Amino acid sequence: MYIWEAFKVAIESILSNKLRTFLTMLGIIIGIASVITIVSLGAGGQKAILGEFEKIGVNVFSIKMRNDVDIREGDRLTLRDVEMIRKRLPSVKYAAPVAEKMGLAKTEKYTKRALFIGTDFDYGNISSLKVIHGRFLNEKDILLGRNVILIDKDSAIELFGYEDCVGKSIKIGTYYYFDTAKIIGVIDSGNLKSLGGSIADQIPIIAAIPITYAQKIFPDINISQIYVMTYDQSQLEEASSQAVRLIESLHHNKDKYKTENLISFLEEFNRILGIFTTVIGAIAGISLLVGGIGIMNIMLVSVTERTKEIGIRKAVGARRKDIMIQFLIESVTISLIGGAIGILLGYLLANIVGPFIDIKPIISINAILIAFFFSTAVGIFFGIYPAQKAAKLDPIVALRYE
Amino acid sequence: MVELEGIKKVYSLGKVQVEALKGVSLKIDKGEYVAIVGPSGSGKSTLMNIIGLLDRPTAGSYKLNGVEVSTLSDDQLAYLRNRQIGFVFQSFNLLHRLNALANVELPMLYAKIPSRERRERALKALEIVGLSDRIYHKPNELSGGQQQRVAIARAIVMNPSFLLADEPTGNLDTASSIEIMKIFHQLNEAGTTIIMVTHEQDIANHAKRIVRLRDGLIVEDSLVSNRITY
Ligand SMILES: Nc1ncnc2c1ncn2[C@@H]1O[C@H](COP(=O)(O)OP(=O)(O)O)[C@@H](O)[C@H]1O
Ligand SMILES: [Mg+2]
């Protein structure tokens, strides 16, 4: 009951000093806005990476050529390497080569650019991509280098006008040479496009073909990486180094290969996020401190201005605690309003900055709770001293104040 | 009942010490109507503030309804101010941002009285002082006499044992002063003990008893023979 009355007094006092109160709030607004921005961008980034986990899995790593060393012809990854990784390493469940090639795909009506991914049957297991019509590549396709192809759903609709184009033929190749391939499956677009990496977004057609077929029609194609999936996540590091050693022994070379996995990617992201969080956290901390001092200052002014009022309230029976609560509620109200404005501003900032760094920000309930917690804490912490000063006023001294 | 025994009050102004009360003993019973008079600076306000528990004496004993108040804490004094004492000031001391009704409700807020009862009792008190048609007016929309009546409503709304008034008509014209005196008369008739400070003889003559101060001491304590009543 009393709290509500005190809140009304606080609102009235704030409304009668709008500009002054707003200026006081600036520190809180900037502080909270920074917190919201970093927390929501961080959450968005983490979610994006965790989304990758769902597509590829946490127990997957890839082997690539290092790009900071000389590569000779004999160093390149081969199908034999894939075969050996499957056979020799007991912790490996699946392994699949990936060779990418930009080219064209033609139907009677259309010619479109396409990203061809030459791979094998294990790729379907590792990437957990969804075949929505037909089937994925099988062992025989690879063995015989069959002219079969899977294309993504969006492209199927673009080229044929409908999703299920299994059994249709399509011409694929580069500008001067084309071969006719039979469509054996349609893949969910979202999945495959994300595997194609960032270039995939600009490519209308994403197509999976047997690696052996790819080598036939694109003689210069190279295996850019080998995806490997272990039985368990705990085997990831061990298997990575074993695989590298195995390939090195097969090629009689050293230090030409590297491995990557999403865990290390997430760790890297978290490390960078940590740096940003520290920097922005410091900015937020300083802003909140400055904002808090501003609140303390304005509350001290308010206590002085309202000394007579305090005297009157005490004369009719207000206890120390009542006066204390009244002024604390006022300082908390100021900082909470500042916090609310800060949340809105932070939300805006996150959505402006997000697209530039390829992160879709997530404003979580948690972030909002944290913001309100900090606002309240600042309001209480910096409001206590002025409130105490008001509460301790001697009634007769306060009443005489003009 | 108010029982003062050897009350002294010393103000220190740097090195100078001002003895505003030099040993005042006074007993005021329930139902009395006392006027405290005396020249300016004689200690009337100082005495009233002590009786009203707004200030503490430097020495002496003060029993309010039998309770020695010099040992009470600030919050206990606040409680007694809230329940036992209604104070009316020369300068009204209303809260400018609140309307008449809210001003009158103020003491009940600190008594934790629910809002509906607060409103009912405030309306009743405003009716007693004849301001039922001005309840939503803010102090600056009221005349001096009306503001003082709001202050009286605020002072009586908790049904205090004592109504203390320090120069209640000091800022008012004669007509308004008479209005206030009529209200005091009614309240006293209804049983409220009234202690009033004034330096005007006409006003003092509304009381039943006059206590005269000079230089911090009581120099006269007598009943009013030619009392003004309504
Ligand atoms: N707060 C104070 N500080 C110092 N001296 C005071 C204070 N209040 C009153 N006095 C002095 O105490 C004496 C009595 O004052 P007061 O009680 O206000 O007299 P009255 O109300 O009869 O005019 C005066 O001399 C006055 O100057
Ligand atoms: Mg006086």
Side-chain angles (χ1 to χ4, degrees):
Chain A
M1 175 186 79
Y2 178 69
I3 302 271
W4 172 241
E5 301 295 333
F7 182 71
K8 283 201 291 197
V9 172
I11 292 289
E12 263 171 52
S13 156
I14 287 166
L15 287 180
S16 62
N17 290 301
K18 284 190 203 78
L19 180 64
R20 185 173 97 180
T21 313
F22 175 74
L23 291 176
T24 303
M25 284 174 187
L26 272 180
I28 304 286
I29 293 173
I30 293 167
I32 294 296
S34 333
V35 170
I36 289 289
T37 308
I38 190 67
V39 170
S40 55
L41 286 177
Q46 274 164 333
K47 187 173 172 217
I49 292 171
L50 290 173
E52 293 295 317
F53 278 0
E54 273 163 29
K55 283 172 205 148
I56 298 196
V58 285
N59 48 343
V60 173
F61 67 90
S62 69
I63 306 165
K64 285 180 180 170
M65 305 294 314
R66 278 175 59 172
N67 41 23
D68 54 349
V69 294
D70 284 343
I71 311 250
R72 273 172 284 163
E73 213 34 55
D75 298 332
R76 295 206 182 280
L77 295 167
T78 64
L79 285 180
R80 183 157 172 265
D81 297 337
V82 180
E83 200 56 37
M84 286 310 188
I85 288 170
R86 276 194 196 120
K87 277 192 187 145
R88 295 262 184 90
L89 303 183
S91 56
V92 168
K93 195 173 175 190
Y94 303 117
V98 171
E100 287 154 319
K101 182 77 185 172
M102 293 298 307
L104 296 172
K106 289 204 292 195
T107 60
E108 271 160 27
K109 276 192 192 160
Y110 303 104
T111 301
K112 296 237 147 180
R113 276 156 56 78
L115 174 66
F116 297 104
I117 300 170
T119 186
D120 72 11
F121 45 88
D122 266 2
Y123 188 80
N125 299 319
I126 294 171
S127 69
S128 77
L129 51 75
K130 268 208 224 84
V131 178
I132 48 181
H133 300 289
R135 64 168 177 85
F136 197 66
L137 306 170
N138 63 24
E139 275 192 73
K140 251 189 172 161
D141 296 331
I142 310 301
L143 204 64
L144 304 174
R146 276 174 175 163
N147 54 339
V148 293
I149 185 167
L150 291 99
I151 63 172
D152 68 290
K153 184 180 81 180
D154 292 348
S155 303
I157 293 170
E158 253 181 275
L159 292 173
F160 298 98
Y162 49 87
E163 263 182 50
D164 188 357
C165 55
V166 173
K168 293 272 175 191
S169 287
I170 188 168
K171 286 204 161 110
I172 60 168
T174 48
Y175 294 92
Y176 45 87
Y177 174 79
F178 282 94
D179 195 62
T180 305
K182 205 180 108 193
I183 297 174
I184 55 164
V186 178
I187 312 158
D188 197 24
S189 299
N191 261 330
L192 202 58
K193 285 208 167 152
S194 75
L195 285 178
S198 57
I199 31 163
D201 296 336
Q202 292 122 46
I203 306 294
I205 303 175
I206 307 248
I209 55 178
I211 178 73
T212 42
Y213 178 47
Q215 285 167 333
K216 263 194 246 169
I217 57 172
F218 307 117
D220 59 337
I221 200 169
N222 287 313
I223 295 172
S224 60
Q225 55 185 318
I226 299 171
Y227 276 122
V228 182
M229 184 168 169
T230 58
Y231 285 94
D232 193 89
Q233 194 192 323
S234 63
Q235 299 164 316
L236 209 57
E237 292 303 321
E238 174 85 33
S240 297
S241 48
Q242 282 175 349
V244 169
R245 261 182 276 128
L246 175 62
I247 294 173
E248 280 172 351
S249 71
L250 289 168
H251 291 262
H252 307 292
N253 59 14
K254 208 151 180 46
D255 299 330
K256 301 260 176 172
Y257 309 100
K258 64 173 180 184
T259 60
E260 280 174 2
N261 62 57
L262 283 177
I263 301 249
S264 59
F265 185 47
L266 183 69
E267 277 165 3
E268 180 63 10
F269 177 83
N270 281 342
R271 198 180 62 79
I272 294 168
L273 180 66
I275 295 170
F276 270 99
T277 307
T278 311
V279 171
I280 294 186
I283 294 172
I286 292 167
S287 305
L288 288 178
L289 184 73
V290 170
I293 293 168
I295 286 184
M296 177 135 78
N297 181 47
I298 218 71
M299 290 310 297
L300 285 171
V301 170
S302 182
V303 169
T304 307
E305 281 176 353
R306 285 149 70 189
T307 301
K308 182 108 182 172
E309 173 189 330
I310 295 163
I312 293 170
R313 288 179 184 273
K314 288 201 154 192
V316 302
R319 292 160 303 166
R320 285 182 175 212
K321 200 175 78 185
D322 298 318
I323 301 296
M324 179 102 188
I325 287 172
Q326 181 187 329
F327 281 89
L328 265 186
I329 284 180
E330 185 165 330
S331 62
V332 170
T333 304
I334 292 173
S335 63
L336 274 180
I337 293 173
I341 297 173
I343 288 171
L344 288 179
L345 188 68
Y347 176 79
L348 225 79
L349 271 178
N351 279 290
I352 290 169
V353 173
F356 287 105
I357 52 174
D358 247 339
I359 290 177
K360 195 170 181 295
I362 298 169
I363 308 281
S364 63
I365 293 291
N366 271 354
I368 289 172
L369 287 182
I370 289 171
F372 275 120
F373 169 79
F374 272 114
S375 313
T376 312
V378 166
I380 291 176
F381 186 80
F382 290 95
I384 274 191
Y385 174 68
Q388 242 166 9
K389 211 178 149 188
K392 272 197 227 153
L393 280 175
D394 188 48
I396 195 68
V397 172
L399 271 173
R400 276 208 202 98
Y401 187 90
E402 285 305 333
Chain B
M1 199 164 73
V2 168
E3 290 170 278
L4 303 173
E5 194 62 52
I7 292 290
K8 290 185 181 173
K9 179 73 188 182
V10 181
Y11 292 111
S12 304
L13 293 166
K15 284 179 195 144
V16 189
Q17 305 245 312
V18 179
E19 207 173 7
L21 296 174
K22 298 173 177 167
V24 170
S25 300
L26 180 66
K27 205 168 135 184
I28 298 169
D29 275 320
K30 225 170 154 273
E32 282 203 70
Y33 188 170
V34 181
I36 297 174
V37 299
S40 179
S42 57
K44 305 182 295 294
S45 294
T46 306
L47 180 60
M48 278 298 260
N49 292 337
I50 288 170
I51 296 174
L53 305 175
L54 290 169
D55 208 354
R56 291 173 187 270
T58 313
S61 146
Y62 171 18
K63 288 203 183 91
L64 178 68
N65 294 332
V67 178
E68 177 59 55
V69 296
S70 58
T71 56
L72 296 182
S73 71
D74 286 355
D75 281 355
Q76 285 169 318
L77 291 182
Y79 180 86
L80 289 179
R81 281 198 297 275
N82 189 239
R83 310 290 166 129
Q84 305 279 3
I85 288 161
F87 219 115
V88 176
F89 303 88
Q90 178 174 357
S91 55
F92 322 134
N93 280 345
L94 299 174
L95 292 184
H96 296 288
R97 281 202 289 253
L98 304 183
N99 62 30
L101 187 66
N103 264 292
V104 177
E105 283 190 26
L106 201 60
M108 295 186 283
L109 206 62
Y110 297 114
K112 306 264 185 288
I113 290 170
S115 64
R116 254 194 50 196
E117 188 186 340
R118 263 189 345 243
R119 193 186 159 84
E120 278 166 20
R121 283 170 64 172
L123 287 173
K124 186 112 179 293
L126 283 163
E127 193 188 319
I128 291 172
V129 299
L131 273 184
S132 294
D133 54 344
R134 294 281 191 281
I135 59 171
Y136 295 121
H137 289 235
K138 297 225 167 133
N140 61 6
E141 298 157 355
L142 296 170
S143 73
Q146 288 169 331
Q147 288 185 56
Q148 195 59 302
R149 284 191 271 161
V150 174
I152 294 168
R154 181 181 67 189
I156 61 174
V157 78
M158 290 292 295
N159 296 320
S161 325
F162 298 93
L163 179 64
L164 308 188
D166 190 351
E167 308 265 13
T169 60
N171 286 1
L172 301 181
D173 56 51
T174 315
S176 302
S177 301
I178 289 169
E179 286 301 313
I180 301 300
M181 285 306 104
K182 281 183 179 167
I183 294 168
F184 276 21
H185 182 76
Q186 277 172 30
L187 289 170
N188 183 244
E189 291 292 296
T192 308
T193 313
I194 299 179
I195 308 171
M196 164 177 80
V197 164
T198 182
H199 61 267
E200 297 170 69
Q201 195 59 45
D202 299 355
I203 297 297
N205 283 341
H206 288 81
K208 295 174 182 163
R209 174 184 167 196
I210 291 185
V211 173
R212 192 173 302 276
L213 284 182
R214 185 171 298 142
D215 289 335
L217 284 169
I218 294 176
V219 292
E220 181 196 335
D221 189 344
S222 59
L223 294 179
V224 179
S225 46
N226 54 342
R227 188 175 172 228
I228 305 170
T229 58
Y230 297 98

